[in-house]
Amino acid sequence: MSEEFLSELRSIVGAAGLLTERSEMGAFVTDWTGRFTGSALAVVRPASTPEVAATIKACAARGVALVPQGGNTGLVGGSVPISDRPAVVLSLARMSKVDDVRPGERTLRAEAGAVIDTVNAAAEAHGLRFPLAFGATGSATVGGALSTNAGGANVLRFGNARELCLGLEVVLVDGTVVDTGSGLRKDNTGYDLRDLFIGAEGTLGIITAATLKLFPQAAVRWTGFLSLASLESALAVLNRLRDEAPGDVEMFEYMPAHAVDLVCKHFPNLRAPLAESAETGVLVEIASTSARDAMEENGEPRLNAGIFEVLERLLEDGLVLDAMIAQSGQQRSELISLREHVLESLQAEAAWYHYDIALRLDDVAPFLAAVRARLQAEGLASPSHVIGHLGDGNLHFSVTRDDTLPRVHDVVYGLVREMHGSFSAEHGIGSAKRSDLERYKDTGAYRVFVDLKRSLDPDGLLNPGVMVGPRDSAEAMRVRGLVTLP
Ligand SMILES: Cc1cc2nc3c(=O)[nH]c(=O)nc-3n(C[C@H](O)[C@H](O)[C@H](O)COP(=O)(O)OP(=O)(O)OC[C@H]3O[C@@H](n4cnc5c(N)ncnc54)[C@H](O)[C@@H]3O)c2cc1C
């Protein structure tokens, strides 16, 4: 690309905002999984919304694509330039201000590049919290989490990133800045544009800022590891805890013995919580914001006494077989760490394909039984390392990445479709699941996706190769009718 183009970009974002050397760009063109790597003409790092708009206009004028990037921790190959179109990485990392904290209305405004942990720290300074919780919140950003509608461990209580966002500022491909009604709790003035851009993975516009919801901090927490009688009984246990125990269930995470063993193998400082391995282990966290629940009686917070009563009945009823209860902050963080290190342990183990599927809550156990039976009948390997956010019907499991993968895929996604599930519960589509989207998404919905993409990004400049729209320049030209390919 011409020096003239790079000079124009430099004049917009300044020398500190433009990286052009291959050695400087390495970390921006390979993703967290290490499986997706590409090349970029430059990495552009704007420091303000007008700089984002000017960068997009400069690129669009030359037909250069833009790949928005936050912390580059996405898991589906959506944050690095992988299409063969000339592209720049648009890193939002310098736009990291967190301001306009309003403790009264429990909101704050964050720029897209603000890291999730930083947003939470800003909330904590006012006695509040931003609850999004997953293993990459030390690097993942507001823009990335909203663009993938990230979930994590406490969706059960607080919802996905979508539910935590009141409004967005977005820059369109023609440079128009859209404000979707930041900060309002009610706004029925037409189509909901906020929800359109959340989960769009940078294919419809660039998120530059968001107004986020904050929540009171927990006054007291109870964290424990339960061994359940069976996966079938998990929903009954969850419902009993939600209905009968004080506080709110924030985590209900499926951690069977093989997942615990795997993490302990790779992180020897962590220990299995129970002496006997739990086939159906579940990490549970219940929190209360009420000072009453935090008051001590007989040396224990009241919250604990209430939970023990329910636990006792669950043990009597045979739904829970054993329990380990965290007795200190240290024990709590060890339990949470067990869950947070599953993905890294899997990465260290082998080259897996990771499934991320959602089912109706009633269908989780029947799905696992059916998928195992079908894979076995086909002579294919069973899912390994099944974990999940059980309260959301979200299962993660892995299979070995070998030449049987396409057949495994057909079995797994065929069953997901039969059970009206989703083949991507929380990680998104990116480039990795693009063909799954074409194949498994409802046909009518997919057509609307294509129409939306054409309408908001007619030249396919925003994150090409991701989700929908032309994959590469040849296809882009074909779609635009510029060339006819066989
Ligand atoms: C160890 C680990 C654990 C994880 N656990 C979970 C989990 O439990 N639940 C879960 O849901 N996810 C999980 N994830 C994935 C999670 O979705 C991403 O980590 C995070 O949401 C992406 O944020 P990011 O800033 O890194 O975005 P990136 O990876 O940089 O980008 C992600 C996508 O968003 C787009 N994008 C980024 N910024 C913008 C912007 N400002 N405007 C428009 N588009 C943009 C990118 O183009 C890309 O398509 C995990 C990831 C890791 C590495």
Side-chain angles (χ1 to χ4, degrees):
M1 191 53 59
S2 69
E3 189 48 46
E4 193 197 349
F5 174 55
L6 295 179
S7 299
E8 186 180 352
L9 292 178
R10 201 170 288 114
S11 71
I12 295 167
V13 295
L18 190 72
L19 310 178
T20 54
E21 294 303 319
R22 201 177 265 256
S23 56
E24 301 171 312
M25 294 197 284
F28 296 87
V29 296
T30 298
D31 78 340
W32 185 87
T33 67
R35 286 190 51 239
F36 298 93
T37 194
S39 62
L41 302 172
V43 176
V44 192
R45 301 173 355 115
S48 67
T49 301
E51 287 186 14
V52 172
T55 302
I56 297 180
K57 280 193 200 166
C59 290
R62 286 174 168 81
V64 171
L66 298 110
V67 177
Q69 191 180 93
N72 199 11
T73 66
L75 299 173
V76 286
S79 52
V80 291
I82 35 84
S83 102
D84 76 351
R85 300 193 70 167
V88 299
V89 171
L90 183 70
S91 165
L92 281 297
R94 286 172 81 210
M95 294 180 60
S96 59
K97 273 202 291 291
V98 179
D99 57 17
D100 200 12
V101 186
R102 300 189 185 203
E105 63 171 47
R106 294 183 172 169
T107 63
L108 59 69
R109 183 181 180 278
E111 287 186 327
V115 168
I116 303 298
D117 280 356
T118 311
V119 172
N120 190 32
E124 280 179 355
H126 294 267
L128 297 167
R129 69 190 280 214
F130 179 65
L132 202 58
F134 52 85
T137 51
S139 314
T141 62
V142 167
L146 289 170
S147 296
T148 56
N149 188 26
N154 59 24
V155 169
L156 181 63
R157 161 82 176 86
F158 298 101
N160 282 68
R162 186 186 300 284
E163 278 84 36
L164 302 175
C165 175
L166 288 171
L168 293 176
E169 180 188 83
V170 179
V171 184
L172 303 182
V173 76
D174 66 358
T176 305
V177 180
V178 179
D179 177 350
T180 74
S182 299
L184 299 179
R185 303 271 168 171
K186 284 189 168 181
D187 180 18
N188 275 350
T189 52
Y191 302 123
D192 193 333
L193 296 183
R194 176 199 60 177
D195 275 354
L196 181 63
F197 292 105
I198 294 176
E201 299 183 33
T203 60
L204 301 179
I206 309 297
I207 296 174
T208 45
T211 304
L212 302 171
K213 287 187 199 167
L214 304 178
F215 295 81
Q217 279 181 13
V220 56
R221 287 176 182 283
W222 180 96
T223 313
F225 193 89
L226 308 183
S227 170
L228 307 189
S230 66
L231 193 56
E232 284 76 5
S233 59
L235 213 48
V237 173
L238 173 61
N239 287 338
R240 294 265 293 267
L241 287 169
R242 287 180 122 176
D243 295 347
E244 298 170 28
D248 277 312
V249 180
E250 293 199 355
M251 284 188 203
F252 198 77
E253 297 285 295
Y254 183 40
M255 283 285 290
H258 58 75
V260 172
D261 293 346
L262 177 82
V263 179
C264 294
K265 177 176 152 194
H266 290 281
F267 294 88
N269 56 324
L270 297 173
R271 278 162 300 159
L274 294 168
E276 268 197 34
S277 328
E279 265 326 301
T280 312
V282 179
L283 167 64
V284 183
E285 183 154 87
I286 299 178
S288 170
T289 55
S290 152
R292 242 180 117 249
D293 284 335
M295 273 164 50
E296 299 225 337
E297 270 171 12
N298 307 321
E300 290 271 9
R302 272 195 190 180
L303 177 76
N304 292 15
I307 296 170
F308 288 148
E309 275 179 31
V310 184
L311 258 187
E312 249 169 40
R313 288 198 295 274
L314 287 169
L315 282 156
E316 277 164 23
D317 295 346
L319 292 169
V320 171
L321 307 177
D322 198 359
M324 176 267 178
I325 293 146
Q327 302 294 340
S328 63
Q330 169 70 18
Q331 278 188 350
R332 172 187 183 253
S333 26
E334 280 181 19
L335 281 180
I336 307 274
S337 280
L338 271 181
R339 173 61 187 86
E340 287 187 340
H341 286 91
V342 174
L343 191 55
E344 277 171 77
S345 307
L346 280 165
Q347 293 278 105
E349 188 83 352
W352 304 96
Y353 182 87
H354 303 295
Y355 286 96
D356 166 34
I357 64 164
L359 297 148
R360 292 181 69 143
L361 301 187
D362 277 339
D363 289 343
V364 169
F367 170 85
L368 270 180
V371 85
R372 285 186 172 124
R374 283 196 195 179
L375 287 168
Q376 194 182 12
E378 299 265 337
L380 296 164
S382 229
S384 299
H385 303 103
V386 188
I387 53 165
H389 310 294
L390 278 189
D392 314 320
N394 181 187
L395 288 177
H396 296 291
F397 54 86
S398 315
V399 295
T400 317
R401 209 177 257 284
D402 60 21
D403 53 11
T404 63
L405 186 60
R407 290 174 57 211
V408 175
H409 223 57
D410 283 348
V411 171
V412 173
Y413 284 167
L415 191 61
V416 167
R417 180 158 56 186
E418 276 172 40
M419 296 180 94
H420 305 286
S422 164
F423 61 87
S424 182
E426 59 177 7
H427 296 158
I429 301 300
S431 54
K433 293 189 178 168
R434 211 186 127 107
S435 48
D436 299 325
L437 188 76
E438 278 167 23
R439 186 161 169 203
Y440 294 104
K441 189 75 187 172
D442 168 77
T443 312
Y446 189 78
R447 213 208 67 203
V448 177
F449 283 11
V450 173
D451 289 349
L452 280 170
K453 176 71 178 172
R454 284 207 182 114
S455 154
L456 284 175
D457 180 22
D459 294 334
L461 291 173
L462 297 178
N463 224 356
V466 165
M467 203 177 312
V468 288
R471 271 173 220 272
D472 53 38
S473 49
E475 192 183 342
M477 287 192 284
R478 182 177 59 77
V479 169
R480 294 176 60 201
L482 296 179
V483 292
T484 312
L485 296 177

